Every structure is written in structure tokens, then in C-alpha cells.
């Protein structure tokens, strides 16, 4: 009931009714942008999307009953508490006649807002607080949600030149992060312990092989599953999270309102041990606040600063990432888990990106600071990137995530941005394993490792192929990893059994900071009978992973063909792979992963119908799929966060729970806010909708 009450207060603070549908505004159909990204909805669609709640105002959002019109009991439009001359708080009345608590409006102005939060009038006289004044603290537990007052209708405003942002100077060194709560280390381990260690299972491709028979490329699967956790999210490994948010001119209107709503959800679900810092960028980048703990006061002050954001200017992703990296590398203290989130709806217009010397592919690594590129598991800080809409640079965002060890998600529909963030933090807040490393060693003296299939994870083998390793890194609660080791099995000798390999898993517990070792003593064994009757049964588990690897390879090949402009070859590769998967052992047994892969390949083929469809919808979708399969971790793309979707690969229960929470509490959910409807019954629309000219550069 308490969580529901907070969300109700947040909705009221946003100026929304409690079951609000969020329509597009005229600002969203800016003539300078591509018609693809802002095509007005069909009248038939609008008729079906009409809300059952009272009609929103002309700005697209219904205004709060608290903040706009004066009443007998005057309230501050920022903190939503009453203003009385006798309550000990100074009251500031602006030249536009709207009044606010002095400490509330000075906090707003300090972070760049030079316009009235209510009527949007530009102020010539700015309220400033003396440098020696004390810091304002929240007096109520719900204060953090009140700080969002005016967010939605304030940021749906556009058409005037936005005020200059972030006047307060930044320190030269970002070592002003808030002290982490060391008391967590003194608490009983049972409060934070996971339910057991990493679970390891192994599966040979077949359980027996006749002595007289050899088997080339024999597959051995190792399956790892992280433990579940006890307690709630606040009793898990605390995180240092830096969010890097695009507030360029193209984010004006509904986009930035929904971004703020999504950030409100993130802030709400961070615990008092977690720390957050926000970087906002357009033509330049600025740190809104250092890493601070998300206590009630921390949440309130953070949301006030997020609320102050105004969209204008260009897109300087490289500068923003440098600023985010600076926060991480110069911090004084560290929480056990560290991560960054980058969201952008455009292309970097400030960084020179040239083709590689070795070929025609563009080198997007110039956008990524060297300190953020994949190093050791101990120093790796993944950047999870989110491409928002159809005009973002999917190749750049994918490259940034891939080279930092993060995931790339494609937010195709405006209204699922909160779900996408929810899925991401649902994982980040459930890290139970760190610095995981898998070691494999051949047991039988004649055997040698042929290959180790591990996607984007770092692998290695010794010179003679007798042993190898996989560096996995972090695992979320209940998250699984599957790796396929291949070798040639020769004709058998006199023994009735043959020991192939043995696996050992080493990882760190992020709370106890202890090293855990699993396995290392048990061999993977197959029988070697003299004679056999019939064919051996192929392991469904091994076949499933061969299908996943086959699909990932086909997607990469199809993407390369599509980038060359050869869509016929690209769709042919996808269709051939889809047919092979449909005829596989795991497909015949109704394997869920296989069914999802078949559906995903079909969807990708549909998004390669024409070059324009591919560039607008296909490229980002394909790259997000590649990111998901190469790291075996869930990404948001298409309808992947919907429970009815077949494409839900790698989602953990923590992710599902967080997405469910988002969808339950989200007050702008409506199918109409999808940027395009590409359901099977509307397949024809993919060709007809995208008969538009190429997108105009920003």
C-alpha cells in the first residue's frame, strides 16, 4: 500500500490523472525531423486509443489540481506543500505572479531553470540563495516524489530557445562522491547470502559411442546457473550507477517527459545503499550531481535536478561518455557493483568517426573512452546503451556496449522506455556472482580441445589444446550461461568408458568478498561399448545451444549482407537458418528457446523488406538481438518486454518482476504510443508506411 501511495503522489506531482494516457503533441511532429519518427496516427487508431479517464489538456497532459490555479489554500507548485507566511519559510513571488517556497525555487534555478515551472514565462529577476545558506532537507518520506512537480507539462513545452543549463561549476576532480555505507559489511551474512553457489551441469552430445567409431566436433555443454537471493532488492549487492542522458533538441516534448518518468522509476527502485550520478548532454555534457546514496533525501534532491532538464542543442555522445567515465574513475569510494546506462535518440555530431584502415567498417570505438573498454573482470564497467526511436546511431550504440561489456537495447516504442530501464536495473540490482571464470581441461591423454564457443566472452587455450578458459564476469540472480566445447573423439581402445574433460568454476561473492570454487573433480564421461544397436540419442541441451549459435551466426551474416545493400542474400540466410532450426531435435520437442529463435528470425526477415525499412527498424533490432545472443543476456527490442512475446530470451525472474512492476505502475501505457505497428496482421504496412524520404540530419 505504501508503494501505491508513493506512485499516486508521484502522478499528482507530475500533473497527471491516475490512469493517464499520454498522446503525442504537435511538438512531436516537428517538420525538421524525419516523417518516419513522427508520423501522425491514423484517425482510426486515435478512435480506439481514447482514454476512459478525463480528457487531457491541450498540452497533452492533464494538469495537477495543485499547481496551476490559485486556491484558498495556496500551495508551492514544486514541493506541493502549503505556503503560509507564518510557517517560517520565505515565499518568493515571481514577476509572472506565481509563488513558491524560496528554498524550492532557488534549488530549481540553481540547476538551470530560468523559467516559471507553472506558466513557462521567462524570468528577468532570478531568485538566488546565499552561498552560506543551509541545505534543504526533506521533511517527509514522500518528498522525493514531490520533487517531480511540473515535470511533464514543463518538458512538453517547446518552441522557445531553452535556457542555458547547469550554471554551477564542476570540480576539476570528481572525488566528491558520497561515502558508501560500510555498515553493510558488518551485517550478518545471512541477510545478504544467496541460496547456494553457482550450479554447474555438463552434457555430452551423446552418452555413448561405439569403440569402432570416431566423432569429429563432438560437443560438450557446460551450463551455469547463478543462485537466487534471499531478501529484497535492498539486501543485495549495492551498485554505483551512472546514467548518461541525451537532452538534445530532438528529445523535446513527450520524449523527455517519458525519460524523466523512467528515471523516476529508476530512482524509486534504488535502495539507500545504492549510489546514482546523472550526466546530461546535448552539445556539451554536464554532471548534474556526484555519486550520491539514494536515501529519501538523496532521491528528492536527485529528482529535483532531473526535473530541471530542458531539451535543446546537438548530440555529443563522446563528451558525455568521457564525463561518465570521469565519475567512475575518479570516485573516492566504490560499491561492489558498477555500471553505466547511456540513452540517446540521435547521432554524435561532434566527434570525427572515420572508417577503419583495415576495411570499410566505421571505427566507433573513438566514442568510447579507453578507461571504459573491456579490461579485466575486476576493472570492467559495462555501459548498457539504449537507442531511442528510429533516428539514433544503432551501430555506434552497439559498438559502445559491445566494447565495454554491456548490452544494447532498441527502444522502438516511446512508451516502453520505462520497461526497458526496468529490465536493465532488475538485473543490475540482483548481481550475485562476480569475476566468474570457467576452466576446462582434457582428461584422456589423446584428446585436444578443438574450439570453445562463448560468444563475446574472452576465451583462451594453451598451445597444445589441453586446457582452456572462459572469462564470464558478473551474473544476475538465476541467470544462466551455456558454453559449448568441441573436440574430435577418436576410435576407442580397450576401456568401456572414456573420460573427456573436467570443468572448474571460480568466482567472487560480491557481498562476502570471498572466492568460491565449484567443480574441478568430476569428469565428463561417455560409454564406449564394443557394439551398439541403433543410433545414440542426441542431447536436447546440446542441440539447443547449437541452434542458438547457428542463429547468432546467421544473424551476423545477414546483417553484413544487409549493410552491403544485398537484402535478398540477407533474407535468404535468415530463412535457411529458420528452416534448419524448425527441423531440429529441440524444435520437435517443443523447446522454448528454439521457438523463440524461429520467431526472432522471422521478425528480422520482415524488418529487411526494403533498404529503408532495414535502416529505420531492422538495423537496431538486429544489433540488439546480436548483443543479446553474444552475451546471453536479455535486451529490450520490439515487444520483448511484453509477457505475450515469444522473444524473451535470457530474462531472469528479477527482470520479469521489475518489468511487471513498471507495467503495473506506468500511467502512460497505451499501444498507440508505439512508433510503428508491425504486427503480423499489418505486414503490408511495413512496406507502405516507410515510403518516406531519407531522414534529415540534425
Amino acid at each position: 500500500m505504501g508503494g501505491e501511495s508513493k506512485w499516486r503522489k508521484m502522478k499528482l506531482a507530475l500533473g497527471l490523472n491516475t490512469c493517464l494516457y499520454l498522446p503525442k503533441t504537435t511538438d512531436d511532429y516537428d517538420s525538421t525531423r524525419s516523417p518516419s519518427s513522427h508520423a501522425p496516427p491514423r484517425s482510426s487508431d486515435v478512435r480506439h486509443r481514447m482514454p476512459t479517464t478525463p480528457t487531457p489538456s491541450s498540452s497533452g497532459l492533464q494538469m495537477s489540481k495543485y499547481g496551476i490555479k490559485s486556491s484558498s489554500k495556496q500551495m508551492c507548485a514544486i514541493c506541493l506543500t502549503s505556503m503560509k507566511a507564518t510557517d517560517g519559510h520565505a515565499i518568493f513571488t515571481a514577476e509572472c505572479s506565481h509563488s513558491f517556497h524560496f528554498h524550492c525555487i532557488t534549488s530549481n534555478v540553481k540547476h538551470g531553470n530560468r523559467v516559471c515551472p507553472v506558466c513557462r514565462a521567462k524570468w528577468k529577476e532570478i531568485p538566488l540563495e546565499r552561498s552560506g545558506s543551509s541545505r534543504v532537507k526533506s521533511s517527509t518520506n514522500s518528498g522525493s516524489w514531490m520533487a517531480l512537480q511540473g515535470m511533464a507539462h514543463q518538458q512538453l513545452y517547446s518552441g522557445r530557445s531553452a535556457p542555458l543549463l547547469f550554471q554551477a561549476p564542476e570540480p576539476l576532480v570528481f572525488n566528491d562522491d558520497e561515502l558508501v555505507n560500510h555498515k553493510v559489511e558488518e551485517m550478518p551474512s545471512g541477510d545478504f547470502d544467496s541460496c547456494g553457489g553457482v550450479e554447474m551441469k555438463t552434457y555430452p552430445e551423446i552418452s555413448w559411442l561405439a569403440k569402432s567409431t570416431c566423432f569429429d566436433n563432438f560437443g560438450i555443454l557446460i551450463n551455469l546457473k547463478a543462485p537466487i537471493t534471499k531478501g529484497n532488492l535492498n539486501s543485495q549487492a549495492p551498485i554505483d550507477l551512472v546514467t548518461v542522458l541525451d537532452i538534445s533538441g530532438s528529445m523535446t516534448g513527450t520524449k523527455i517527459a517519458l525519460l524523466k518518468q523512467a528515471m523516476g522509476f529508476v530512482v524509486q527502485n534504488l535502495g539507500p545503499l545504492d549510489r546514482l550520478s546523472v550526466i546530461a548532454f546535448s552539445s556539451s555534457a554536464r554532471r548534474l550531481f556526484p555519486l550520491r546514496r539514494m536515501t529519501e533525501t538523496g532521491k528528492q534532491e536527485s529528482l529535483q535536478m532531473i526535473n530541471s532538464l530542458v531539451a535543446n542543442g546537438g548530440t555529443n555522445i563522446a563528451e558525455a561518455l568521457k564525463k561518465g567515465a570521469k565519475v567512475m574513475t575518479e570516485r573516492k569510494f566504490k560499491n561492489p557493483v558498477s555500471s553505466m546506462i547511456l540513452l540517446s535518440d540521435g547521432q554524435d555530431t561532434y566527434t570525427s568517426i572515420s572508417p577503419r584502415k583495415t576495411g570499410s567498417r566505421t571505427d566507433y570505438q573513438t566514442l568510447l573512452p579507453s578507461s571504459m573498454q573491456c579490461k579485466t573482470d575486476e576493472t570492467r564497467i559495462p555501459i548498457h546503451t539504449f537507442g531511442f526511436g528510429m533516428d539514433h546511431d544503432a551501430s555506434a550504440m552497439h559498438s559502445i556496449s559491445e566494447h565495454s561489456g554491456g548490452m544494447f537495447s532498441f527502444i522502438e516504442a516511446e512508451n516502453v522506455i520505462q520497461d526497458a530501464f526496468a529490465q536493465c536495473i532488475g538485473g543490475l540490482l540482483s548481481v550475485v556472482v562476480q569475476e566468474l571464470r570457467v576452466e576446462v581441461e582434457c582428461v584422456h591423454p589423446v584428446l585436444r580441445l578443438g574450439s570453445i564457443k562463448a560468444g563475446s566472452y574472452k576465451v583462451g587455450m594453451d598451445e597444445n589444446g589441453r586446457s582452456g578458459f572462459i572469462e564470464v564476469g558478473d551474473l544476475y540472480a538465476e541467470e544462466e550461461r551455456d558454453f559449448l566445447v568441441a573436440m574430435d573423439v577418436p576410435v576407442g581402445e580397450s576401456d568401456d568408458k572414456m573420460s573427456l574433460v573436467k570443468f572448474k568454476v571460480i568466482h567472487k561473492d560480491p557481498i562476502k568478498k570471498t572466492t568460491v570454487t565449484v567443480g574441478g573433480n568430476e569428469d565428463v564421461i561417455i560409454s564406449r561399448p564394443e557394439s551398439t544397436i541403433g543410433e545414440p540419442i542426441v542431447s536436447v541441451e546440446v542441440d539447443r545451444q547449437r541452434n542458438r549459435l547457428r542463429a547468432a551466426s546467421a544473424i551476423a551474416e545477414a546483417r553484413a549482407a544487409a549493410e552491403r545493400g544485398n537484402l535478398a542474400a540477407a533474407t535468404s540466410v535468415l530463412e535457411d537458418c529458420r528452416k534448419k532450426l524448425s527441423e531440429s531435435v529441440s524444435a520437435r520437442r517443443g523447446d522454448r528457446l528454439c521457438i523463440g529463435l524461429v520467431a526472432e528470425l522471422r521478425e528480422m526477415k520482415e524488418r529487411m523488406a526494403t533498404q529503408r525499412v532495414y535502416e529505420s527498424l531492422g538495423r537496431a533490432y538486429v544489433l540488439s538481438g546480436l548483443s543479446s545472443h553474444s552475451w546471453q543476456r536479455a535486451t529490450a527490442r520490439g515487444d520483448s518486454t511484453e509477457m505475450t512475446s515469444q522473444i524473451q530470451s535470457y530474462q531472469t525472474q528479477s527482470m520479469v518482476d521489475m518489468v511487471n512492476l513498471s507495467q503495473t505502475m506506468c500511467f502512460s501505457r497505451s499501444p498507440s504510443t508505439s512508433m510503428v505497428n508491425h504486427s503480423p496482421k499489418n505486414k503490408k504496412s511495413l512496406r507502405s508506411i516507410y515510403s518516406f524520404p531519407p531522414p534529415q540530419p540534425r
Side-chain angles (χ1 to χ4, degrees):
M1 189 68 184
E4 181 181 349
S5 175
K6 282 188 177 182
W7 270 93
R8 179 172 180 81
K9 289 176 182 177
M10 179 182 175
K11 297 174 194 179
L12 293 175
L14 281 164
L16 309 176
N17 62 55
T18 55
C19 299
L20 181 65
Y21 143 83
L22 193 64
K24 290 185 180 295
T25 66
T26 54
D27 295 328
D28 291 323
Y29 306 116
D30 188 292
S31 59
T32 63
R33 298 296 306 274
S34 165
S36 67
S37 51
H38 303 300
R42 298 188 298 261
S43 59
S44 60
D45 290 338
V46 174
R47 184 170 63 252
H48 292 296
R49 300 168 193 165
M50 290 300 291
T52 57
T53 52
T55 306
S57 69
S58 58
S59 68
L61 295 171
Q62 184 174 358
M63 298 304 179
S64 168
K65 61 183 179 182
Y66 294 122
I68 309 305
K69 300 292 184 181
S70 61
S71 63
S72 58
K73 186 177 181 181
Q74 192 176 20
M75 286 190 174
C76 173
I78 295 177
C79 69
L80 296 184
T81 58
S82 62
M83 293 187 294
K84 299 178 183 177
T86 59
D87 66 359
H89 293 292
I91 298 175
F92 172 79
T93 301
E95 54 208 82
C96 60
S97 78
H98 291 110
S99 298
F100 313 90
H101 283 128
F102 186 77
H103 63 262
C104 291
I105 199 61
T106 53
S107 176
N108 218 32
V109 168
K110 182 175 67 174
H111 300 293
N113 260 343
R114 304 303 171 96
V115 293
C116 176
V118 176
C119 68
R120 303 299 300 164
K122 289 186 177 180
W123 288 342
K124 295 179 182 178
E125 298 180 1
I126 305 298
L128 295 175
E129 190 173 26
R130 294 179 181 178
S131 58
S133 58
S134 60
R135 193 177 189 182
V136 179
K137 294 186 178 181
S138 171
S139 59
T140 65
N141 291 333
S142 60
S144 57
W145 304 116
M146 295 179 178
L148 283 167
Q149 164 63 22
M151 171 197 301
H153 55 272
Q154 175 179 337
Q155 291 308 324
L156 282 174
Y157 159 87
S158 66
R160 307 176 194 167
S161 58
L164 193 62
L165 293 177
F166 317 130
Q167 300 299 312
E170 291 180 344
L172 293 177
V173 180
F174 288 171
N175 61 356
D176 53 347
D177 52 308
E178 188 172 358
L179 180 71
V180 297
N181 190 346
H182 293 290
K183 291 183 180 180
V184 66
E185 298 176 5
E186 302 168 7
M187 299 180 75
S189 60
D191 292 342
F192 298 90
D193 200 9
S194 56
C195 297
V198 171
E199 182 182 348
M200 180 178 69
K201 295 180 181 178
T202 57
Y203 303 90
E205 188 162 1
I206 55 177
S207 60
W208 56 265
L209 182 65
K211 287 183 180 179
S212 58
T213 307
C214 62
F215 196 126
D216 293 339
N217 200 34
F218 185 94
I220 305 168
L221 174 70
I222 176 172
N223 168 267
L224 305 175
K225 184 173 183 179
I228 62 175
T229 55
K230 298 177 182 177
N232 52 44
L233 290 177
N234 289 337
S235 67
Q236 294 165 354
I239 184 174
D240 282 346
L241 179 64
V242 175
T243 58
V244 183
L245 309 176
D246 186 344
I247 58 167
S248 58
S250 57
M251 288 290 292
T252 300
T254 307
K255 281 186 175 181
I256 199 164
L258 291 173
L259 173 60
K260 290 181 176 183
Q261 172 190 311
M263 281 302 299
F265 181 85
V266 171
V267 170
Q268 182 210 22
N269 285 282
L270 292 177
L273 303 181
D274 302 315
R275 301 193 303 172
L276 174 70
S277 178
V278 175
I279 307 294
F281 72 95
S282 53
S283 302
S284 60
R286 187 76 178 176
R287 187 191 68 169
L288 267 65
F289 51 87
L291 283 168
R292 60 171 54 174
R293 289 174 52 211
M294 288 296 98
T295 59
E296 285 300 325
T297 301
K299 288 180 179 181
Q300 179 188 18
E301 294 176 350
S302 299
L303 288 169
Q304 283 179 336
M305 290 183 230
I306 292 170
N307 179 32
S308 73
L309 296 176
V310 178
N312 74 314
T315 306
N316 196 337
I317 296 175
E319 180 66 22
L321 289 176
K322 287 180 183 176
K323 196 78 71 174
K326 184 176 172 71
V327 172
M328 284 297 192
T329 56
E330 296 180 357
R331 56 185 164 163
K332 236 184 218 183
F333 313 101
K334 289 184 181 180
N335 264 327
V337 181
S338 300
S339 189
M340 289 175 60
I341 287 176
L342 166 67
L343 177 135
S344 177
D345 74 332
Q347 303 185 22
D348 192 304
T349 53
Y350 290 82
T351 306
S352 176
I353 303 174
S354 56
R356 298 177 185 269
K357 295 180 180 179
T358 56
S360 59
R361 291 185 64 185
T362 306
D363 186 6
Y364 290 104
Q365 287 192 56
T366 54
L367 295 173
L368 186 64
S370 58
S371 60
M372 292 291 104
Q373 296 187 25
C374 273
K375 297 181 179 180
T376 64
D377 286 341
E378 190 174 355
T379 59
R380 177 185 301 166
I381 300 176
I383 303 175
H384 301 287
T385 60
F386 294 82
F388 195 13
M390 291 178 287
D391 295 329
H392 73 276
D393 191 337
S395 298
M397 299 291 273
H398 176 259
S399 179
I400 291 167
S401 64
E402 186 72 13
H403 289 97
S404 65
M407 309 302 300
F408 167 58
S409 292
F410 173 32
I411 305 176
E412 180 180 346
E414 289 181 347
N415 70 322
V416 300
I417 179 174
Q418 181 171 299
D419 292 349
F421 276 18
Q423 179 171 271
C424 181
I425 66 168
L428 292 175
L429 294 175
S430 65
V431 172
V432 292
V433 171
Q434 287 186 312
E435 300 177 31
L436 189 147
R437 176 185 171 96
V438 179
E439 296 179 354
V440 55
E441 181 182 351
C442 294
V443 178
H444 197 283
V446 302
L447 296 178
R448 299 291 184 273
L449 298 175
S451 64
I452 301 175
K453 302 292 185 182
S456 292
Y457 294 104
K458 182 180 179 181
V459 301
M461 289 191 289
D462 63 10
E463 293 181 357
N464 57 17
R466 290 285 296 168
S467 64
F469 67 87
I470 310 166
E471 292 184 357
V472 182
D474 295 357
L475 287 185
Y476 304 152
E478 299 181 87
E479 198 168 36
E480 296 189 51
R481 292 291 180 272
D482 293 285
F483 303 113
L484 199 60
V485 175
M487 60 174 52
D488 295 339
V489 179
V491 173
E493 299 175 352
S494 58
D495 295 336
D496 293 334
K497 295 184 181 295
M498 187 176 193
S499 296
L500 304 179
V501 296
K502 59 183 176 182
F503 293 97
K504 181 167 68 173
V505 175
I506 306 168
H507 68 85
K508 189 174 81 173
D509 185 306
I511 296 298
K512 298 178 182 177
K513 303 189 187 313
T514 56
T515 300
V516 181
T517 301
V518 179
N521 299 319
E522 297 183 4
D523 300 345
V524 178
I525 301 173
I526 60 172
S527 300
R528 300 302 302 265
E530 291 285 352
S531 59
T532 61
I533 300 176
E535 294 293 327
I537 299 174
V538 176
S539 166
V540 175
E541 290 79 11
V542 174
D543 185 71
R544 177 192 298 126
Q545 295 309 313
R546 286 201 185 278
N547 282 340
R548 182 181 63 81
L549 294 169
R550 186 180 292 118
S553 177
I555 293 170
E557 185 181 347
R559 182 228 170 184
E563 295 295 339
R564 296 193 301 267
N566 192 347
L567 291 177
T571 55
S572 177
V573 169
L574 294 175
E575 181 61 20
D576 289 346
C577 183
R578 189 189 68 80
K579 289 180 179 178
K580 290 179 180 177
L581 264 59
S582 300
E583 298 167 356
S584 67
V585 172
S586 52
R588 291 196 299 269
R589 297 188 183 182
D591 178 69
R592 186 173 179 271
L593 175 61
C594 189
I595 293 172
L597 290 171
V598 169
E600 186 176 1
L601 292 170
R602 186 185 298 113
E603 177 75 10
M604 288 182 179
K605 181 183 175 183
E606 185 70 25
R607 290 170 182 261
M608 293 182 179
T610 68
Q611 190 65 31
R612 202 157 292 167
V613 171
Y614 172 72
E615 291 175 359
S616 300
L617 291 173
R619 178 183 289 120
Y621 189 91
V622 168
L623 287 173
S624 183
L626 279 176
S627 178
S628 183
H629 294 306
S630 63
W631 295 104
Q632 298 184 58
R633 181 163 280 171
T635 61
R637 60 192 190 279
D639 64 350
S640 64
T641 57
E642 297 293 336
M643 293 303 102
T644 57
S645 174
Q646 289 182 315
I647 305 171
Q648 296 175 330
S649 304
Y650 317 115
Q651 279 187 328
T652 66
Q653 191 59 49
S654 297
M655 293 178 178
V656 172
D657 291 344
M658 195 66 77
V659 172
N660 284 339
L661 181 63
S662 169
Q663 294 177 351
T664 301
M665 294 183 168
C666 184
F667 42 82
S668 64
R669 168 121 0 234
S670 168
S672 68
T673 51
S674 174
M675 295 180 181
V676 64
N677 180 4
H678 56 271
S679 60
K681 63 182 179 182
N682 291 326
K683 285 185 178 179
K684 185 178 179 181
S685 65
L686 278 174
R687 295 179 180 272
S688 59
I689 288 177
Y690 291 97
S691 56
F692 48 76
Q696 298 296 317
R698 293 203 287 180

